[in-house]
Amino acid sequence: MVMSIFELSGRKELPPPRIEEINLRSPRFTLSGRLTEFCTAAPYDRAGHTYGKALRDVLRAIYRQFDNPPDYVAYPVTEQDIRDLMDFCVSRSIALVPYGGGSSVVGGVEPPASDHYQGSISCDMRRFDKILSVNPVARTARIQAGIYGPALEAGLKQYGLTLRHYPQSFEFSTLGGWIATRAGGHFATLYTHIDEFVEALRILSPGGLLETRELPGTGDGPDANRLIIGSEGIFGIITEAVMRLQTIPTLRASASVSFKNEKGAMEAVRLISQSGLYPANCRLISPLESFSMGIGDGSHAVLLLGFESHDHPQETKLRRALEICRAHAGIWDETDALASQTGQGVQADAGRTWKTNFLRAPYMRDVLARSGIITETFETAITWDRLDDFHARVQAGTRAALTAVCGNGLLMWRFTHVYPDGPVIYYTVVAPGRRGAEIDQWDAIKKAASDAIIAGGGTITHHHAVGRVHRPWYEKSQPALMGQIMRRIKQTVDPHWILNPEVLMAPGKK
Ligand SMILES: Cc1cc2nc3c(=O)[nH]c(=O)nc-3n(C[C@H](O)[C@H](O)[C@H](O)COP(=O)(O)OP(=O)(O)OC[C@H]3O[C@@H](n4cnc5c(N)ncnc54)[C@H](O)[C@@H]3O)c2cc1C
C-alpha cells in the first residue's frame, strides 16, 4: 500500500547484503592470552556487530557500507572473561563496546569513529543467558544480563511468573540492554520503564565490581541502581540483575474506544492517567496510524484500554475508565468490551489486531527500506499543560522537513505511555526516499524533529536512549553540572575511557 501511495509501485527492492559482498578492514591489532578462546574475527560476526537496528543502520547495511567494523567480537562466558577483556583493552587502548541484542536505534553499539583508540572489541553478552535463581516468596529472580526476551519469559513461566516487559523489540533484545537503556515496555502506566523492576544489579567495570543489595526499597542516599540503569554501557558491563516479577495475569478487561475529536481523546486520557486506575494498556493512536494498523478507517483516534490482574476482576476499573471516555464523546463496542471480561485473557478485537501489527512492524520497516521508503520513529514526553503547543510545533517542524527533503510524506503519532503529569508521544514517519540519499534525507528530518522537541521543552528520548544519535540534543538539554558529575563517575569507574566511547558523552572531556 505504501508504495502505491507514493506512486513507487515499480521500484525494485535492493537485496539484503551477503557476507561475501562485504570487504571488511583487517583487524588492527592481535589478541593475546586467553582472549583467543572467546573472541573471533570472523567476518560474519564482525559485520553483524557493526550496527544497531535504526533505519540509518539498515540503510548502511543495504548500501554495503561497513567501514568501521569492530576488530573482534567477544562472546564471554564468565565474569573472569570480561575482566580479562577489560584489562587487555585498558593496556592496549582498545574501545570495548557492550552488546546485548544489538537492537539499539541510537547508535549505541557501534565502534567509536574516533582514531583515539587502537581498535575496538564488541562484547556480545549472549552467553550470559541463564535464570540463576527464582525467589517465589519475594517474587524476584536473579537473571544473567544477556538473556533474550523470549527465553526469559519461557524460563519464568514454569514458576507461574513473568517480567511482563515487552518492548516492541522483545524478540531481539536482552535484559542487560533493557536496563542499560532504561527501556519502556508493556505497562502504559505506573511501571513504564524497566527501572521499576530492577531490585539489584551486578556490574563489572575497569574500576572494579559494583553489586547492589536485594531490598524492596531503601532510603540510604542516592540510589546506586539508578546510577547504572540508563548508563548505556559507559559505566560498566551489567552481568546479572535481580528483577521484580509479576504473577501471570489471568483476569483482564479491555476495550477499544473511538474518538472523532483528537482533543477530546487526549483529555480523556489525561483524566484516566490522573484517576488512580492505572491501566496496563492506555495507548491513544492517531486516526492515520489507526488506519495503517488496521484498527480504524482513518477518521477516528483509537484508545486501547486494558486492565489486568492475577488477583481480582478488572471490570469495575474498565467501567470507570469508559465513563471518562463517554464524557469526552468516546464510543466503543459493548459486546467487544464484555467479551474481554471473561477471565480467559481475551482482548478487545482492535487490541488484538493492533498487537499483531505492532509486532510485525519492525520486519516491514526493513523491507520498505530496501525499496527506498524512509520509515522511522522518534519519541518524546511532555507535560499535559504544554501538550497542545508542543505537539503542534513538533508536527509542523517535522512536516516542513518532510516536504523540503522528500516532497511529501506521512507523519503519524500515538501515546505509548501516560503519566499523571503528561504523555509519551511516539511519532512515525513514512516518506518516499531518493535512492542513495535516504540517510541524508532521514538525518535532515530527524534534526528538524529533534530541534523542535528541544525548543518545545520535551525530552530527546523517553525510552529509546541517547547513544550517539541523540547526544547533541541530550547535551543541550541536560544541566551542565549533571554533565560534570557524569564525567567524574566515568573517571572513577573507567579511568581510561575504554567503555563505549562517544555514547552519552564525548570522550576526552574529563
Ligand atoms: C523495531 C524496534 C523496536 C523497538 N522498540 C522499543 C520499545 O518498545 N521500547 C524501548 O525501550 N526500546 C525499543 N527499541 C530500542 C531497543 O530495542 C532498546 O533500546 C533495547 O533496550 C536494547 O536492548 P539490546 O539488548 O538490543 O541492547 P543493545 O542494542 O545491544 O545495546 C543497547 C545499549 O546498551 C548497552 N548494553 C547492552 N547490554 C549491556 C550490558 N549487559 N551491560 C552494559 N551495557 C549494555 C550497549 O552498549 C548499548 O549502549 C526498539 C528497537 C527496534 C529496532
Side-chain angles (χ1 to χ4, degrees), residues 49 51-55 57-58 82 96-110 122-125 128 144-149 165-170 172-186 192-194 202-204 228 230-240 283 358-359 361-363 365-366 376-377 379 414 416-417 426 461-468 499-500 503-504:
H49 289 74
Y51 298 127
K53 300 277 186 305
L55 175 69
D57 302 330
V58 174
I82 298 177
L96 186 61
V97 180
Y99 188 102
S103 69
S104 169
V105 284
V106 292
V109 291
E110 282 181 38
S122 177
C123 180
D124 187 320
M125 294 296 287
F128 280 70
Q144 287 187 307
I147 194 166
Y148 278 75
H165 179 77
Y166 300 115
Q168 196 181 14
S169 53
F170 174 73
F172 36 82
S173 56
T174 63
L175 177 63
W178 299 340
I179 296 170
T181 59
R182 302 188 62 194
H186 170 77
T192 52
H193 284 111
I194 190 82
R202 196 175 155 89
I203 303 107
L204 292 178
I228 299 305
S231 61
E232 300 188 32
I234 70 165
F235 289 163
I237 296 189
I238 303 162
T239 58
E240 293 172 15
R283 288 177 165 80
F358 173 75
L359 293 174
Y363 299 98
R365 197 268 316 260
D366 293 6
E376 185 57 301
T377 62
E379 34 85 58
R414 63 177 182 262
T416 55
H417 304 82
Y426 188 98
T461 175
H462 172 265
H463 55 265
H464 279 171
V466 173
R468 290 177 175 76
L499 284 173
N500 225 1
V503 163
L504 269 172

Side-chain angles (χ1 to χ4, degrees), residues 86-267:
M86 286 179 177
D87 289 347
F88 177 80
C89 290
V90 166
S91 70
R92 302 282 294 274
S93 193
I94 306 286
L96 186 61
V97 180
Y99 188 102
S103 69
S104 169
V105 284
V106 292
V109 291
E110 282 181 38
S114 148
D115 55 10
H116 175 78
Y117 297 90
Q118 303 302 311
S120 67
I121 300 179
S122 177
C123 180
D124 187 320
M125 294 296 287
R126 71 178 61 188
R127 291 184 179 163
F128 280 70
D129 62 353
K130 313 251 172 337
I131 296 176
L132 298 173
S133 59
V134 174
N135 179 338
V137 179
R139 228 176 52 175
T140 57
R142 179 171 285 274
I143 308 169
Q144 287 187 307
I147 194 166
Y148 278 75
L152 168 62
E153 283 299 333
L156 293 175
K157 196 172 178 188
Q158 34 189 308
Y159 300 92
L161 295 170
T162 168
L163 180 61
R164 273 189 105 51
H165 179 77
Y166 300 115
Q168 196 181 14
S169 53
F170 174 73
E171 282 175 80
F172 36 82
S173 56
T174 63
L175 177 63
W178 299 340
I179 296 170
T181 59
R182 302 188 62 194
H186 170 77
F187 292 98
T189 67
L190 222 51
Y191 314 107
T192 52
H193 284 111
I194 190 82
D195 313 20
E196 312 308 328
F197 300 124
V198 177
E199 187 186 74
L201 286 172
R202 196 175 155 89
I203 303 107
L204 292 178
S205 72
L209 167 72
L210 193 153
E211 182 161 26
T212 62
R213 294 191 298 148
E214 296 175 38
L215 290 168
T218 165
D220 58 354
D223 188 339
N225 286 335
R226 300 270 171 169
L227 193 71
I228 299 305
I229 299 170
S231 61
E232 300 188 32
I234 70 165
F235 289 163
I237 296 189
I238 303 162
T239 58
E240 293 172 15
V242 179
M243 301 302 293
R244 301 183 174 117
L245 306 174
Q246 325 275 315
T247 304
I248 295 174
T250 46
L251 301 165
R252 292 190 174 91
S254 58
S256 66
V257 186
S258 297
F259 293 85
K260 184 91 189 145
N261 181 329
E262 282 179 29
K263 286 258 170 69
M266 289 181 183
E267 187 56 8

